């Protein structure tokens, strides 16, 4: 039986289909839009390598030399040297360790620069009879600096950056070639790539050649962590069944062959040491270079297949495109190693939106953090609330685990994935898989009634600090103990302050915001400098009520 539909009815059906299709398309998750701007200052030099420190300075090794970049100007490293030799020639590689020391590979060897003191020294390396002594590869793995240097022969060395007075060890030498790169494989083992062969290096000194080695996929996150997988393995997205290959996105179900969801052109690579897929993660989005473009993919949990955003880049097709986090890890630089020019890529700012709360409850928030599984954890005066990982629009709901009868004023994620807590009752605690343990103050101490703990810090050396109405504490999360700094000195000023915030400045230096003004402390010596309305210039501040403190690029108080 055929039913004849009127033209008006057909138009209505078409409109509904268009609305339905538009709704389905609108529901697909798209990556955040990105602004593309030339970096006219950084683009003046031909970048070979770039590394950022914890003060948001970028250290740049370029054909024209070695520079410090603060976002406004390139300052030659030689202008910062107060003691030691001057660098000559172009820089090849640069890395910055957790203590802030800048390690630089040059034509004539390896140099170490300490920004806090202005000291530059040439690192003594074992004798080598070679055509030249170029250091063209550096890899920092925890406290071990792996060094590739020389030409015919080429040599790999290892140096402990925490004990630089110890001589570097020669781990491997080959009679021909030069260093191209040093990297970690998917199991965290160092790989040395030369112009002729590739080798896997073992801590016991053994070396295994790697036939036909191709760099795998590398995922680098804004928090400094990274993951590397073999080239034969695709990079899995955090949720669902999607995996990222070098030129396609696949849906990989256990019972069926992978299905191609999207394709792109894999970029040409002149440099063998560059990973097949060099993926950077920022704000739940993956970014990686394609042929003349950057690609972006949202990795938030969604029922829809996410859409890959293609972003054409000027000069991208001529470049062997590399992406690196910018100095404050809020965006990226794109460049071609050894070629003049640089592009800034920064996700566009989005308006602040209040998170919905179950029951429409209003929250006065004190702390925000994430658990190791990505779940958001919010401490407020109304209790502890949580939100599913990578679901930014989901409602905040009450923490389903332990019911806490006090407010979390500050939280800090530890490297071992535990959560350190400072609460309103003057206690410091550690949360491990739902179990809360107190960090005890041993021995005689004042009554902590109505004495809140406000702030937490893990410094570059790994020392944990806590502050509040009872003073400044050194915390030991391993043994669950704490000691008040300068406990035996009853007149110590910080015992009588409410420490609202702690931040790290130059290496070995803490800044403390208190209700009695701002303090700069050097814990190793006990040197304490007060800033406030009663102090002369340049230590004068208009108020004593300092509630927060952050380090600027020059490590000054703000």
């Amino acid at each position: 039986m055929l039913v004849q539909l009127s033209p008006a009815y057909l138009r209505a059906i078409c409109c509904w289909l268009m609305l339905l299709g538009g709704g389905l398309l609108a529901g697909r998750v798209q990556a955040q839009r990105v602004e593309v701007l030339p970096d006219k200052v950084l683009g003046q030099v031909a970048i070979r390598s770039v590394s950022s420190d914890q003060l948001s300075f970028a250290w740049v090794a370029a054909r024209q030399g070695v520079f410090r970049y603060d976002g406004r100007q390139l300052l030659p490293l030689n202008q910062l040297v107060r003691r030691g030799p001057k660098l000559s020639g172009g820089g090849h590689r640069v890395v910055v360790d957790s203590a802030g020391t800048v390690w630089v590979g040059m034509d004539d060897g390896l140099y170490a620069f300490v920004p806090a003191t202005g000291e530059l020294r040439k690192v003594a390396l074992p004798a080598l009879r070679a055509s030249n002594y170029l250091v063209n590869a550096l890899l920092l793995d925890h406290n071990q600096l792996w060094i590739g240097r020389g030409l015919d022969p080429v040599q790999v060395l290892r140096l402990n950056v925490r004990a630089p007075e110890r001589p570097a060890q020669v781990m491997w030498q080959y009679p021909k070639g030069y260093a191209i790169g040093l990297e970690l494989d998917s199991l965290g083992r160092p790989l040395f790539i030369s112009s002729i062969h590739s080798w896997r290096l073992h801590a016991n000194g053994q070396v295994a050649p790697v036939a036909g080695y191709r760099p795998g996929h590398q995922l680098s996150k804004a928090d400094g962590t990274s993951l590397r997988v073999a080239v034969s393995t695709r990079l899995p997205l955090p949720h669902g069944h999607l995996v990222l290959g070098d030129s396609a996105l696949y849906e990989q179900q256990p019972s069926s062959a992978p299905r191609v969801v999207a394709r792109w052109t894999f970029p040409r690579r002149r440099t063998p040491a560059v990973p097949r897929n060099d993926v950077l993660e920022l704000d739940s989005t993956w970014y990686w270079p394609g042929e003349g473009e950057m690609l972006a993919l949202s990795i938030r949990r969604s029922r829809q297949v996410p859409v890959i955003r293609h972003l054409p880049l000027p000069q991208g097709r001529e470049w062997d495109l590399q992406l690196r986090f910018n100095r404050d890890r809020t965006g990226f630089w794109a460049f071609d190693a050894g070629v003049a020019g640089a592009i800034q890529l920064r996700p566009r700012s989005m308006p602040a939106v209040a998170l919905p709360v179950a029951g429409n409850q209003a929250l006065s928030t004190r702390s925000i953090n994430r658990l190791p599984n990505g779940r958001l954890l919010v401490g407020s005066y109304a209790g502890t609330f949580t939100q599913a990982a990578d679901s930014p629009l989901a409602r905040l709901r009450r923490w389903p685990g332990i019911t806490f009868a006090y407010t979390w004023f500050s939280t800090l994620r530890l490297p071992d994935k535990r959560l350190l807590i400072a609460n309103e009752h003057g206690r410091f605690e550690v949360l491990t898989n739902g179990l809360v343990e107190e960090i005890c103050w041993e021995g005689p101490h004042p009554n902590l009634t109505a004495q809140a703990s406000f702030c937490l810090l893990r410094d570059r050396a790994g020392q944990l600090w806590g502050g509040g109405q009872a003073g400044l504490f050194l915390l030991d999360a391993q043994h669950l103990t704490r000691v008040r700094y300068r406990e035996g000195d009853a007149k110590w000023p910080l015992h009588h302050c409410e420490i609202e915030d702690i931040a790290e400045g130059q290496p070995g230096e803490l800044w403390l915001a208190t209700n009695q003004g701002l303090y700069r402390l050097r814990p190793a010596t006990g040197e304490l400098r007060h800033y406030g309305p009663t102090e002369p210039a340049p230590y004068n501040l208009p108020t004593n009520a300092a509630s927060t403190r952050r380090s600027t690029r020059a490590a000054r108080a703000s």
Side-chain angles (χ1 to χ4, degrees):
M1 177 180 176
L2 297 176
V3 178
Q4 187 173 2
L5 301 177
S6 68
Y9 195 73
L10 286 172
R11 285 194 298 270
I13 290 176
C14 290
C15 288
W16 278 108
L17 288 174
M18 290 174 65
L19 287 171
L20 179 61
L24 289 174
L25 289 174
R28 298 186 69 183
V29 178
Q30 296 198 20
Q32 190 172 343
R33 295 186 178 274
V34 175
E35 295 177 331
V36 181
L37 297 169
D39 193 319
K40 296 181 180 179
V41 178
L42 191 58
Q44 296 174 20
V45 298
I47 305 168
R48 286 170 169 160
S49 175
V50 60
S51 183
S52 298
D53 61 22
Q54 296 195 40
L55 299 178
S56 294
F57 285 120
W59 298 89
V60 181
R63 287 185 181 275
Q64 294 84 351
V66 182
F67 302 86
R68 190 188 71 182
Y69 184 45
D70 64 358
R72 298 184 299 273
Q73 65 173 340
L74 282 165
L75 190 64
L77 186 145
N78 281 338
Q79 294 186 20
L80 300 169
V81 176
R82 297 198 292 271
R83 185 168 65 253
K86 300 288 186 179
L87 299 177
S88 62
H92 292 274
R93 293 293 179 267
V94 59
V95 295
V96 184
D97 65 25
S98 60
T101 301
V102 183
W103 302 86
V104 182
M106 302 291 291
D107 283 329
D108 61 342
L110 178 68
Y111 289 81
F113 176 66
V114 182
T117 63
E119 179 185 3
L120 177 69
R121 62 182 178 85
K122 186 173 183 181
V123 179
L125 299 177
L128 174 68
R129 292 184 177 181
S131 300
N132 69 44
Y133 303 97
L134 161 70
V135 171
N136 197 38
L138 292 175
L139 170 67
L140 187 62
D141 180 25
H142 296 91
N143 293 330
Q144 302 298 318
L145 181 65
W146 294 82
I147 307 155
R149 69 157 178 169
L151 169 65
D152 299 336
V154 61
Q155 198 176 64
V156 181
L157 307 99
R158 186 178 65 182
L159 177 70
N160 187 337
V161 299
R162 286 289 169 269
E165 69 281 357
R166 299 177 187 170
Q169 295 176 277
V170 178
M171 305 302 293
W172 176 241
Q173 184 169 310
Y174 194 74
K176 293 292 183 181
Y178 59 90
I180 289 179
L182 278 160
E183 62 179 57
L184 298 178
D185 68 9
S186 56
L187 298 179
R189 299 169 300 189
L191 282 164
F192 173 60
I193 305 164
S194 82
S195 57
I196 298 177
H197 293 294
S198 299
W199 293 272
R200 181 171 286 111
L201 310 172
H202 299 276
N204 60 6
Q206 294 183 347
V207 177
V210 180
Y213 173 72
R214 289 191 303 161
H217 308 300
Q218 177 170 289
L219 172 65
S220 302
K221 301 184 179 183
D223 62 5
T225 61
S226 63
L227 168 70
R228 185 177 285 266
V229 300
V231 69
S232 59
T233 306
R234 294 170 180 141
L235 198 61
L237 271 68
H239 311 291
H241 302 284
L242 297 177
V243 293
L244 190 71
D246 54 14
S247 58
L249 179 67
Y250 300 88
E251 185 177 33
Q252 190 167 295
Q253 298 286 353
S255 59
S256 59
R259 179 178 70 89
V260 175
V261 175
R263 287 191 182 277
W264 58 90
T265 303
F266 184 76
R268 297 183 297 271
R269 288 294 190 210
R270 296 194 307 270
T271 307
V274 174
R276 280 292 281 181
N277 250 359
D278 200 1
V279 182
L280 305 184
E281 181 180 321
L282 179 66
D283 294 336
S284 298
T285 303
W286 282 2
Y287 300 89
W288 69 97
E291 180 66 21
E293 63 180 356
M294 186 180 75
L295 300 112
L297 173 69
S298 172
I299 58 170
R300 291 192 173 100
R301 191 189 303 274
S302 172
R303 294 180 181 179
Q304 302 290 334
V305 175
V307 177
I308 293 179
R309 189 181 294 279
H310 296 256
L311 185 66
L313 299 180
Q315 300 175 286
R317 291 197 177 277
E318 293 78 28
W319 283 0
D320 185 0
L321 196 62
Q322 297 190 33
L323 285 181
R324 295 291 183 270
F325 282 110
N326 62 13
R327 56 193 176 78
D328 51 7
R329 293 183 172 264
T330 57
F332 315 102
W333 286 311
F335 60 90
D336 183 359
V339 177
I343 299 171
Q344 296 183 58
L345 301 136
R346 188 183 296 270
R348 292 182 183 175
S349 58
M350 299 176 66
V353 179
L355 291 178
V357 182
N360 296 322
Q361 184 170 2
L363 300 185
S364 178
T365 303
R366 287 302 307 244
S367 65
I368 304 175
N369 219 312
R370 288 195 182 273
L371 295 176
N373 61 7
R375 180 173 288 275
L376 189 72
L377 210 56
V378 177
S380 76
Y381 287 108
T384 305
F385 289 76
T386 183
Q387 181 195 65
D390 295 315
S391 299
L393 300 181
R395 290 181 178 274
L396 289 172
R397 300 185 182 277
R398 285 197 175 272
W399 172 248
I402 302 169
T403 301
F404 299 97
Y406 45 80
T407 302
W408 295 1
F409 279 177
S410 181
T411 57
L412 176 69
R413 279 183 62 180
L414 301 178
D416 59 8
K417 299 184 178 181
R418 294 184 296 167
L419 193 70
L420 185 61
I421 304 165
N423 70 44
E424 64 178 329
H425 293 323
R427 297 168 63 177
F428 297 100
E429 298 168 322
V430 176
L431 176 65
T432 310
N433 297 325
L435 175 67
V436 175
E437 299 174 286
E438 184 181 358
I439 297 180
C440 299
W441 188 356
E442 297 180 338
H445 57 265
N447 187 349
L448 294 182
T449 303
Q451 294 205 25
S453 296
F454 292 132
C455 50
L456 298 165
L457 172 74
R458 184 177 185 268
D459 66 22
R460 297 185 190 97
Q463 174 62 56
L464 296 173
W465 298 88
Q469 292 175 318
L472 177 66
F473 292 87
L474 295 96
L475 309 177
D476 184 344
Q478 188 68 31
H479 300 96
L480 299 176
T481 58
R482 59 166 156 162
V483 176
R484 188 160 66 167
Y485 183 81
R486 297 286 288 264
E487 178 62 69
D489 186 353
K491 296 183 179 180
W492 180 245
L494 297 181
H495 294 344
H496 311 287
C497 293
E498 294 186 5
I499 300 176
E500 299 274 357
D501 198 13
I502 314 172
E504 194 170 15
Q506 296 284 1
E509 180 181 88
L510 297 180
W511 290 85
L512 304 106
T514 80
N515 65 339
Q516 300 297 320
L518 181 67
Y519 286 92
R520 184 189 66 200
L521 171 66
R522 294 193 170 97
T525 63
E527 179 187 344
L528 189 67
R529 173 73 252 182
H530 178 249
Y531 296 74
T534 60
E535 300 289 349
Y539 310 111
N540 184 266
L541 291 178
T543 178
N544 263 331
S547 60
T548 189
R549 231 281 322 164
R550 289 293 179 267
S551 294
T552 65
R553 286 183 295 273
R556 296 188 180 95
S558 64

